[in-house]
Amino acid sequence: SNRISHESRMLPEYSLVMRATRHAGSPVRVLLGGGIGSGKSLAGRRFEELGAVVVDSDEVGHEVLAPEGEAYASVSERWPDVASASGIDRRRLGRIVFGSQKDLRELEAMTHPAIARRIAEIADATDDLIVEVPLILELPGDWTTCYVDTAADRRLQRAVGRGLDEENVRQRMSNQPDRHEWLEWADRIVDNNGTPEQLAEQVDGLWMELKA
């Protein structure tokens, strides 16, 4: 599998292993964005089938909030009730920040720079890389931004269908970028209001364009 697990990224030899697989040519770099229930993970799996390495920025967020992670100290100082020796309780932290725009922005200011730096390290050691992002993220370098466009009612239905609490999903949706913000950010758009096969066809087309 080309999907980098949280555990594999923690291995110190990871960069050396990935560097050994580098080859000539310009690598594909895609930030694959969309809110909860948009289907960006489904699009990411298709990119993975086509040969790209896929990283979930949420998993990188786990890494930077681990006790040895770059953002652990600042987050644990700001919200001590969610911190322990094993790391940050992200579920409890989520209940706090998704109920307050102010707290959410504070958290993003603490974590986003650390997440961006870690992704840059992975990108430097990887060929074709797709990074799934639930929030608008700007990274240095030559990245293609791609938005998975899905109607809000479909997103809600999909997320609740995965067993998530409807009220929590609605709260998260309200704190994520709206469709206009995503469209302003994106270089490319894939429509996920149809079938999985139709989404895969669009990803295939984008992949061919970027590889060309």
Side-chain angles (χ1 to χ4, degrees):
S1 171
N2 290 334
R3 186 172 292 268
I4 298 178
S5 69
H6 175 62
E7 290 77 10
S8 68
R9 281 200 312 273
M10 297 295 287
L11 293 174
E13 66 270 25
Y14 163 72
S15 294
L16 296 176
V17 172
M18 294 304 296
R19 283 186 187 281
T21 69
R22 292 295 299 262
H23 55 69
S26 298
V28 171
R29 295 280 181 265
V30 176
L31 294 180
L32 184 63
I36 187 171
S38 62
K40 63 183 176 296
S41 293
L42 182 61
R45 283 195 291 273
R46 182 57 183 167
F47 275 115
E48 188 177 3
E49 290 170 357
L50 294 168
V53 171
V54 179
V55 172
D56 184 346
S57 65
D58 195 50
E59 286 296 312
V60 181
H62 278 279
E63 185 176 320
V64 303
L65 288 175
E68 69 278 11
E70 184 178 341
Y72 175 81
S74 57
V75 172
S76 60
E77 181 178 351
R78 173 63 180 84
W79 294 282
D81 290 344
V82 305
S84 70
S86 60
I88 301 296
D89 186 330
R90 286 166 55 93
R91 188 178 296 274
R92 291 179 63 192
L93 180 60
R95 285 197 292 267
I96 295 171
V97 301
F98 284 111
S100 166
Q101 281 284 339
K102 178 179 179 294
D103 285 346
L104 182 60
R105 298 299 169 248
E106 280 189 67
L107 178 65
E108 290 174 352
M110 296 174 186
T111 58
H112 280 194
I115 290 170
R117 280 188 285 273
R118 185 66 186 107
I119 291 173
E121 291 175 1
I122 296 170
D124 187 52
T126 310
D127 281 319
D128 301 323
L129 179 63
I130 313 298
V131 180
E132 298 172 11
V133 292
L135 299 170
I136 288 173
L137 184 66
E138 303 291 344
L139 295 178
D142 188 16
W143 292 85
T144 297
T145 52
C146 178
Y147 169 49
V148 182
D149 189 15
T150 312
D153 59 341
R154 286 175 176 256
R155 292 173 53 203
L156 178 64
Q157 183 180 24
R158 288 170 181 167
V160 172
R162 298 202 302 262
L164 300 178
D165 176 72
E166 181 174 341
E167 182 180 352
N168 181 260
V169 172
R170 289 185 182 276
Q171 190 177 56
R172 286 174 179 266
M173 289 174 68
S174 70
N175 281 288
Q176 290 178 332
D178 62 28
R179 184 172 184 268
H180 175 74
E181 292 174 292
W182 281 118
L183 293 175
E184 286 287 317
W185 170 82
D187 300 317
R188 304 287 190 277
I189 299 165
V190 294
D191 187 305
N192 192 27
N193 290 293
T195 66
E197 291 76 20
Q198 289 170 326
L199 177 64
E201 288 177 4
Q202 295 174 75
V203 171
D204 290 356
L206 176 58
W207 177 256
M208 291 176 64
E209 175 189 345
L210 295 173
K211 291 297 285 184

